Amino acid sequence: MKHLLLKDLLLQKRSLGVLGIYVVVLAFVLPKLGRIHVVYGVSMIGSALLMFSATWEDLGNMLWNSMPVPKWKLVGAKYLAIFAYMGAAMALIFLFGLISVLFGTSLADVIVSFSHAWSGLLMLILIACMYWPAYFSLGPAAARYANIILYIILLYWLRSGHQYLILPVGVSPILLVAGVLLVLALSFIVSLHFYRRREF
Amino acid sequence: MESILELRNVVKNFTGFKINGISFSLEPGYIMGFIGANGSGKTTTIKLIMNLLHLEMGEIKVFGLDSRQHEQQIKQRIGFVYDDNHFYEELTITQMTKVLAPFYKKWDWNTYNRYIHRFGLPSNKKIKTFSRGMKMKYALAVALSHKAELLIMDEPTSGLDPIVRSEILDILSEVILDERCSVLFSSHITSDLDRIADYVTLIHNGTILFSTSKEELFEKYSLVKGERSLLGENLRPYLVGYRESQFGFEGLVTDKAAVQAMLNGNALLERPTLEDIMLYCTRGRAV
């Protein structure tokens, strides 16, 4: 599975240019790096990465399904890649935060903002858990529509500034991790079920 | 000897098209040409063999194993080359191969490097910069580098120039010298198969019209050319298909000896090409 992950990371290099544009757009949309902005930034960049990774599997599906690679590994690698995208999104937003320091934001504010990044990561996981079953069920073309719908929802949240995206304090971390893992597992099972029914 | 590939009464339905209970088999160490017009069902059949499409009825056995139950085991022993590029265009072939190779237990880097060198493929250029012929050669190098016992090739030579086509056919002829390997080679360019195929299977509208050795095919069929006046009732039972022109007719006949005796030297009887056989068997009386 690590080779499938490696392939995804190699291919993401082509997304760097687009991500650069994303960061520039974020710089306009998020003039000050507050905690809610970190949440949005991490989830938006992360979800962009996972959607990019779906687009090139138009080619990959025929290839991998003709090779001795079980379908659970193909699906599993996409879920594993979520964590790599989380790291990449965090790194990019942190870089954006450091740049904002040059324009007057205090480093302390940036660091405090980052203490809320986990909400963005949770949001990214939830997006992935909705997106991958759509992709594995309908294929990349239809998943592009899911992509658009998810973006509209994200932009709506961004515009209305819903604070509830910052999850309530006091939720047991163990419960939270268990809940996330359960959602991931369920999403994986649904994706695998759909993918096994797909024809290429 | 156990068939390396066996299809029995395979059925697959689509809207407006059906793979209609097809059966054929391929013995170890031979090249089978899988011919038919565009849209006749060649790619669909190959996809069924590769489990890229779900079988509705019938049975597909590869290496004597059920293709669905032993999918991973079978795919370890299959090399494939498709008509379109399915490699990631943004990667170099070195990157692509490093990702692919670990999935094959018998991957042989020496063999791979030998083919890459022989084909003159640049290791550090992105696949998107390759010509169609280079992409096809890369696919062939990958297919041949894990000691595959069955090569499945779907229109590998279509759209290639004669030099690249010839190169690919030469490689296949070499590969087949190792009698452990068999090849299923689908193509509508029948001249390629005239050169390398041992067996020929013709599919038309999702139905297998014949699956036989090339020798038997050329023994069975002859091309007859003569004046239109010869196209009488006596000849028609032997005619598989024919084409009339202002100068005469040309047709495909069975039972060369009987036709020769009947026409009494008034017509020319020739060995047909695979294209002639495909054309007349699928179209019957041409317009």
Side-chain angles (χ1 to χ4, degrees):
Chain A
M1 198 132 69
K2 68 178 179 186
H3 295 97
L4 292 169
L5 190 58
L6 169 72
K7 174 261 298 175
D8 265 26
L9 298 180
L10 282 170
L11 287 164
Q12 285 290 6
K13 282 199 290 187
R14 68 189 282 201
S15 315
L16 288 177
V18 183
L19 282 178
I21 296 168
Y22 251 74
V23 171
V24 171
V25 169
L26 280 175
F28 284 101
V29 177
L30 315 174
K32 183 173 174 292
L33 192 75
R35 58 183 193 172
I36 192 74
H37 304 128
V38 170
V39 176
Y40 289 133
V42 167
S43 55
M44 281 187 80
I45 289 178
S47 55
L49 284 168
L50 75 90
M51 286 165 199
F52 289 150
S53 87
T55 56
W56 56 69
E57 296 305 348
D58 270 338
L59 286 171
N61 278 323
M62 277 281 281
L63 174 72
W64 294 111
N65 284 284
S66 298
M67 285 180 55
V69 187
K71 285 191 169 63
W72 70 263
K73 281 191 179 176
L74 296 173
V75 174
K78 290 291 182 199
Y79 278 82
L80 208 57
I82 298 169
F83 298 98
Y85 302 154
M86 286 165 123
M90 287 283 283
L92 273 167
I93 286 295
F94 192 67
L95 181 70
F96 178 65
L98 289 181
I99 293 168
S100 75
V101 169
L102 298 175
F103 295 94
T105 310
S106 77
L107 187 62
D109 279 352
V110 171
I111 290 166
V112 167
S113 298
F114 263 80
S115 64
H116 295 278
W118 60 276
S119 293
L121 298 179
L122 277 182
M123 195 168 156
L124 175 57
I125 290 174
L126 289 177
I127 289 169
C129 287
M130 288 186 284
Y131 182 75
W132 285 133
Y135 165 77
F136 285 111
S137 161
L138 305 167
R144 277 183 209 119
Y145 293 106
N147 177 351
I148 292 166
I149 291 165
L150 282 172
Y151 265 84
I152 290 169
I153 293 168
L154 276 170
L155 286 172
Y156 171 75
W157 276 336
L158 186 63
R159 279 169 60 89
S160 54
H162 282 210
Q163 295 295 311
Y164 58 74
L165 286 174
I166 311 289
L167 290 176
V169 181
V171 175
S172 156
I174 296 171
L175 204 63
L176 196 64
V177 169
V180 166
L181 289 177
L182 182 67
V183 171
L184 271 171
L186 286 174
S187 173
F188 170 77
I189 290 166
V190 172
S191 291
L192 185 59
H193 171 74
F194 284 138
Y195 198 50
R196 284 189 168 142
R197 292 173 58 177
R198 280 267 302 279
E199 295 189 317
F200 304 99
Chain B
M1 189 184 288
E2 192 173 52
S3 299
I4 208 156
L5 173 66
E6 187 177 6
L7 283 81
R8 254 190 265 164
N9 303 316
V10 168
V11 173
K12 177 76 182 172
N13 284 289
F14 299 95
T15 311
F17 180 70
K18 182 181 183 184
I19 292 290
N20 201 8
I22 64 171
S23 304
F24 66 88
S25 61
L26 172 60
E27 306 303 317
Y30 292 104
I31 297 179
M32 175 178 277
F34 191 39
I35 61 173
N38 289 329
S40 57
K42 300 188 296 295
T43 299
T44 303
T45 304
I46 283 175
K47 283 185 173 181
L48 285 164
I49 294 168
M50 296 300 289
N51 261 338
L52 297 170
L53 294 174
H54 301 308
L55 194 62
E56 284 172 20
M57 278 174 68
E59 188 181 35
I60 298 175
K61 282 188 171 182
V62 188
F63 311 118
L65 303 168
D66 184 276
S67 69
R68 285 173 290 182
Q69 285 173 15
H70 300 91
E71 184 176 2
Q72 302 306 317
Q73 202 180 333
I74 287 168
K75 285 180 177 174
Q76 282 289 346
R77 299 161 69 185
I78 290 182
F80 58 90
V81 178
Y82 298 143
D83 59 341
D84 285 330
N85 172 50
H86 293 290
F87 299 110
Y88 299 102
E89 303 235 318
E90 289 295 325
L91 300 185
T92 66
I93 57 170
T94 303
Q95 289 171 328
M96 188 75 240
T97 311
K98 277 184 183 164
V99 171
L100 297 180
F103 291 99
Y104 288 105
K105 290 175 185 165
K106 291 187 178 175
W107 183 268
D108 182 352
W109 281 103
N110 289 332
T111 307
Y112 170 77
N113 288 327
R114 204 174 60 238
Y115 280 117
I116 293 300
H117 182 71
R118 176 173 175 176
F119 292 148
L121 296 173
S123 298
N124 298 319
K125 282 195 173 172
K126 286 185 177 179
I127 293 171
K128 70 177 177 187
T129 65
F130 284 16
S131 66
R132 181 174 166 76
M134 289 162 87
K135 286 174 186 169
M136 208 50 81
K137 283 176 180 176
Y138 174 63
L140 188 59
V142 171
L144 295 174
S145 297
H146 57 92
K147 299 184 168 42
E149 293 160 59
L150 172 62
L151 283 183
I152 293 187
M153 311 180 85
D154 188 13
E155 306 268 8
T157 52
S158 79
L160 299 181
D161 65 63
I163 297 168
V164 178
R165 270 170 54 200
S166 177
E167 216 174 335
I168 287 176
L169 297 178
D170 285 344
I171 296 274
L172 286 183
S173 300
E174 283 172 29
V175 164
I176 215 70
L177 287 176
D178 165 16
E179 289 191 357
R180 280 185 334 115
C181 193
S182 308
V183 182
L184 178 69
F185 187 116
S186 108
S187 184
H188 61 269
I189 307 172
T190 48
S191 58
D192 291 343
L193 300 170
D194 266 323
R195 190 171 141 189
I196 60 161
D198 303 298
Y199 288 86
V200 179
T201 297
L202 173 62
I203 187 167
H204 181 59
N205 286 339
T207 302
I208 299 291
L209 296 188
F210 60 72
S211 183
T212 183
S213 75
K214 202 166 68 181
E215 283 76 29
E216 279 177 38
L217 209 55
F218 289 132
E219 271 172 31
K220 182 178 178 184
Y221 294 111
S222 293
L223 196 67
V224 59
K225 291 174 182 173
E227 290 177 5
R228 288 165 72 177
S229 59
L230 295 172
L231 269 175
E233 289 305 312
N234 293 341
L235 185 61
R236 287 186 193 269
Y238 299 101
L239 275 171
V240 175
Y242 66 96
R243 180 167 56 194
E244 289 181 77
S245 71
Q246 56 180 326
F247 305 109
F249 81 97
E250 179 190 278
L252 191 74
V253 290
T254 54
D255 201 343
K256 183 179 179 179
V259 171
Q260 212 157 19
M262 187 198 320
L263 296 175
N264 199 22
N266 291 319
L268 196 63
L269 278 155
E270 292 175 352
R271 178 186 152 113
T273 61
L274 274 179
E275 187 171 326
D276 295 325
I277 295 172
M278 183 173 99
L279 189 74
Y280 289 113
C281 284
T282 55
R283 290 210 318 205
R285 184 189 182 281
V287 181

